[in-house]
Amino acid sequence: MSLFPSLGNKKDTRTVGRGFQPIFLIIFTLLMIGGIEARLAYLQIVEGPKLRQRAEANRVRLILKQPERGNIFDRNGKLLASTRYPSSVYLWPMAHTKPSWSVVGPRLQKILNIPQEEMEKKLEEAGANSSSLIRIARDLNEAQITAVKEYKNELKDVEINIDAVRYYPHAQELAHILGYTRELTAEQLTQKKQEGYRLGDVIGQMGVEKAYEKMLRGEWGGQQVEVDGAGRPIRVLGEKQAKPGNDLHLNIDLDVQRAAEKALGKYQGAIVALDPNNGAILAMVSYPTFDPNIFSKQKLSQKDWESVQGKDHPLVNRALSAFPPASTFKIVTTTAGLESGQFSPDTVLQTFGSLTIGGVTFGEWNHAGFGPLGFPGAMAMSSDTFFYQVGKKVGGPTLIEWSRKYGFGQKTGIEFVNEELKGLVPDEIWKLKVLKTRWTVGDTINMSIGQGALQVTPLQAAIMFSVPANGGYRVKPHLLREHKANIWREPMNMRPITIKVLRDGLRKVVTDGTGKRLNVPSIAPASGKSGTAEAGAGRPNHTWFGAYAPSNKPEIVVVAFGENSGDHGGTVCGPMVLQVLEAYFQHKYPGKYEKPQSEESAAKIQNSGNIIGD
């Protein structure tokens, strides 16, 4: 009998409990191991590539080496665009987390005078995992460089590097030819990423810089550097040398360019000089102008911004903008009259103080007429009533046809594709569409003397003057020197007698007519034509003068245009053309031509016997 009957009747449950515990632990352990293995499998198989890339980005950094942009030279090897080497501040985006940036950001803002938000935006655009350096400031001065070094313990992962930045030694003198470079806009970066462009890259935005971006740009180089946990370099894993861009040699003659800029002075307008035999551009000036160096700065100042956004639009290249050609167009009217067979080379027409055609009276510029004139004499006197009669007889369609054969109403083919205007050759379709009226004889009369809706660029006018100069070929203007002349001209299939009449008339303009300012010994014998265009709305006239020389074997065409300059083409633009021709001939043929005398005495000679007119 048990001494403790109440206990003796109970079962011993301890043995049973011990049997369940090992099973539970085994199951729990298996589940944990399974979960860990599943997570490891997910990380290795699914997330593996991404994690390896992130780890590699933490271990390997890419230090990019910017290529030097190719230099630009004139036809004689004079430097027009090169490179300068300012100090810049760069950051590693992946290194600047919120804790570190709370120290670095305010300190850099104070040193660089750049808003912290602006720097943060660049880091965000680069991406937190970017392994490339991002530039946040350029053109550091000595005080800024010293400050960055002084606070190097605070400014970890902040580096000062040397950049290659575009530099234009002649500043404003070639602005509309060379253009400028500037950092890509966000839109441009999206478009250019596939071509290897990166955030902060510069790109040609205008002129030669834009037209020949691929040749000038070069190829980036750099180093792959392994770093430790603190971001300190351990070793270089790979290196590629940056490849500089190609140098360019232009047809521009710096001496002629400078003479053109001086001749134009403060007149709003343009001057173009080119070789009439192949279209090589020797000079192209537009005013107002700008300094392209300002775009190489990290940020435009308010003063810089105002200098390029003025009411006179200094960024606009007026050599490629369109205006009424005025009496320079009489070259086209003469061609249409002779080539159509409506007039013979020895035609003589009576001129008048005015003519009434279609119920409208059209006046002569001198209000009196010049008596009977042939084509050369009419060109010399720039008689309006003579060319009214020619235009009326040949008709609008023939004038329009020859306008287009001379290249008007279409782009010339110069490298500045997006900067050049086509101008306008109006016709009946255009007039019905735009003005809702039909073409009239009055439209033809206006066109015959280069007025009305007709619009021509100074560059197109220079090509027009090249046609009689070179014997009947339309040339294609170009800036790059590495081209053969024979691919830049096409025959207009004009009769030799037409070319002769044109050349006789243009020579007579200088010897006896509105261009006598060019009849001086300081240049080779020249031929040319003046023009004065009504600007409308009470504004001052536009003025023109185009010329080529030597008259018997032309080497250069120069066209000057004054926008709302007032007065007449011969008085405003004639002297401009003369100055450019003097620079060309006295530089190319030293001692052969008399140097101009003082401005006062030269003016007396040029004004003597001069016909003040169209």
Side-chain angles (χ1 to χ4, degrees), residues 319-368:
L320 306 179
S321 301
F323 309 90
S327 289
T328 62
F329 186 80
K330 290 169 182 175
I331 292 173
V332 178
T333 306
T334 298
T335 305
L338 295 174
E339 289 294 305
S340 67
Q342 297 288 332
F343 295 90
S344 66
D346 56 0
T347 292
V348 174
L349 299 175
Q350 181 67 40
T351 63
F352 307 91
S354 65
L355 282 176
T356 300
I357 303 171
V360 179
T361 298
F362 298 89
E364 179 66 77
W365 68 263
N366 74 345
H367 309 294

Side-chain angles (χ1 to χ4, degrees), residues 410-609:
Q410 56 196 283
K411 293 189 176 184
T412 64
I414 192 175
E415 293 95 323
F416 303 160
V417 178
N418 297 320
E419 299 165 39
E420 180 183 20
L421 296 185
K422 294 190 299 184
L424 173 65
V425 176
D427 56 17
E428 184 158 14
I429 294 174
W430 173 86
K431 194 177 180 190
L432 282 169
K433 180 179 179 181
V434 176
L435 303 180
K436 312 301 182 186
T437 58
R438 300 190 67 84
W439 188 269
T440 67
V441 67
D443 296 313
T444 302
I445 298 303
N446 276 328
M447 180 178 279
S448 70
I449 62 165
Q451 293 282 180
L454 186 66
Q455 299 276 305
V456 172
T457 71
L459 181 58
Q460 289 173 333
I463 293 169
M464 175 184 70
F465 277 95
S466 296
V467 173
N470 63 33
Y473 293 87
R474 194 174 95 192
V475 295
K476 180 180 177 182
H478 56 284
L479 286 154
L480 194 62
R481 189 148 172 75
E482 291 83 356
H483 285 305
K484 295 180 180 179
N486 59 354
I487 66 172
W488 296 104
R489 48 191 275 163
E490 59 181 65
M492 292 180 62
N493 301 317
M494 294 162 61
R495 294 182 299 161
I497 189 61
T498 300
I499 301 296
K500 183 180 185 306
V501 170
L502 286 172
R503 296 184 75 160
D504 289 347
L506 294 171
R507 177 60 182 150
K508 197 172 182 65
V509 169
V510 173
T511 59
D512 302 306
T514 60
K516 289 181 70 175
R517 277 179 168 77
L518 275 72
N519 195 26
V520 292
S522 57
I523 61 172
S527 302
K529 183 72 189 78
S530 60
T532 306
E534 295 177 357
R539 291 174 296 171
N541 294 331
H542 300 312
T543 54
W544 293 85
F545 201 94
Y548 59 79
S551 293
N552 61 335
K553 193 176 182 181
E555 299 177 13
I556 182 173
V557 163
V558 181
V559 168
F561 167 74
E563 182 179 358
N564 299 126
S565 60
D567 212 333
H568 298 85
T571 54
V572 175
C573 292
M576 296 181 191
V577 172
L578 174 60
Q579 289 182 58
V580 178
L581 291 175
E582 284 175 341
Y584 176 83
F585 285 106
Q586 289 165 23
H587 175 74
K588 187 171 182 180
Y589 305 102
K592 185 174 180 180
Y593 299 99
E594 291 183 20
K595 289 187 177 180
Q597 305 170 34
S598 68
E599 291 185 10
E600 183 179 353
S601 59
K604 288 180 181 178
I605 293 173
Q606 291 173 27
N607 286 328
S608 61

Side-chain angles (χ1 to χ4, degrees), residues 134-195:
I134 300 299
R135 183 180 62 237
I136 61 163
R138 193 166 57 200
D139 285 306
L140 271 66
N141 56 42
E142 289 299 323
Q144 291 172 321
I145 294 171
T146 301
V148 171
K149 292 179 179 178
E150 182 181 344
Y151 290 98
K152 63 181 179 181
N153 290 331
E154 287 184 24
L155 302 177
K156 295 177 181 178
D157 294 297
V158 175
E159 297 190 12
I160 295 179
N161 291 330
I162 302 299
D163 273 350
V165 175
R166 203 50 155 174
Y167 175 60
Y168 304 96
H170 306 290
Q172 299 183 5
E173 290 181 358
L174 296 124
H176 291 96
I177 293 174
L178 300 178
Y180 63 91
T181 62
R182 186 146 178 79
E183 283 190 17
L184 291 129
T185 63
E187 182 180 355
Q188 287 174 328
L189 181 59
T190 302
Q191 296 171 350
K192 296 286 185 178
K193 265 187 177 179
Q194 292 183 345
E195 297 177 33

Side-chain angles (χ1 to χ4, degrees), residues 160-361:
I160 295 179
N161 291 330
I162 302 299
D163 273 350
V165 175
R166 203 50 155 174
Y167 175 60
Y168 304 96
H170 306 290
Q172 299 183 5
E173 290 181 358
L174 296 124
H176 291 96
I177 293 174
L178 300 178
Y180 63 91
T181 62
R182 186 146 178 79
E183 283 190 17
L184 291 129
T185 63
E187 182 180 355
Q188 287 174 328
L189 181 59
T190 302
Q191 296 171 350
K192 296 286 185 178
K193 265 187 177 179
Q194 292 183 345
E195 297 177 33
Y197 286 89
R198 303 173 177 83
L199 181 68
D201 275 7
V202 298
I203 189 171
Q205 302 280 7
M206 177 181 170
V208 169
E209 296 281 20
K210 181 177 181 179
Y212 291 105
E213 166 69 15
K214 290 183 179 179
M215 294 178 66
L216 290 165
R217 182 188 175 209
E219 295 179 10
W220 282 76
Q223 291 180 331
Q224 278 188 319
V225 180
E226 184 178 6
V227 297
D228 60 17
R232 291 183 291 267
I234 301 173
R235 62 190 175 117
V236 176
L237 301 177
E239 185 170 5
K240 177 187 176 183
Q241 293 295 323
K243 183 180 178 182
N246 296 314
D247 290 344
L248 296 184
H249 290 79
L250 304 183
N251 287 310
I252 294 297
D253 185 316
L254 185 58
D255 294 321
V256 177
Q257 178 77 14
R258 284 176 166 167
E261 184 188 33
K262 183 179 179 181
L264 186 59
K266 299 301 180 182
Y267 277 105
Q268 191 162 294
I271 295 179
V272 176
L274 55 77
D275 184 336
N277 301 298
N278 58 24
I281 296 178
L282 306 176
M284 187 165 64
V285 172
S286 176
Y287 186 85
T289 184
F290 63 97
D291 183 355
N293 286 304
I294 65 175
F295 292 101
S296 295
K297 298 178 182 179
Q298 177 72 17
K299 188 174 183 180
L300 286 180
S301 67
Q302 183 63 30
K303 183 179 179 182
D304 289 336
W305 181 250
E306 290 173 357
S307 74
V308 297
Q309 293 295 324
K311 62 183 179 66
D312 295 325
H313 309 292
L315 289 177
V316 172
N317 188 345
R318 283 167 169 78
L320 306 179
S321 301
F323 309 90
S327 289
T328 62
F329 186 80
K330 290 169 182 175
I331 292 173
V332 178
T333 306
T334 298
T335 305
L338 295 174
E339 289 294 305
S340 67
Q342 297 288 332
F343 295 90
S344 66
D346 56 0
T347 292
V348 174
L349 299 175
Q350 181 67 40
T351 63
F352 307 91
S354 65
L355 282 176
T356 300
I357 303 171
V360 179
T361 298

Side-chain angles (χ1 to χ4, degrees), residues 8-27:
N9 294 329
K10 291 182 179 181
K11 292 182 179 180
D12 188 354
T13 59
R14 288 176 295 176
T15 303
V16 176
R18 290 192 193 100
F20 281 105
Q21 286 177 359
I23 295 171
F24 174 77
L25 289 172
I26 290 169
I27 293 172

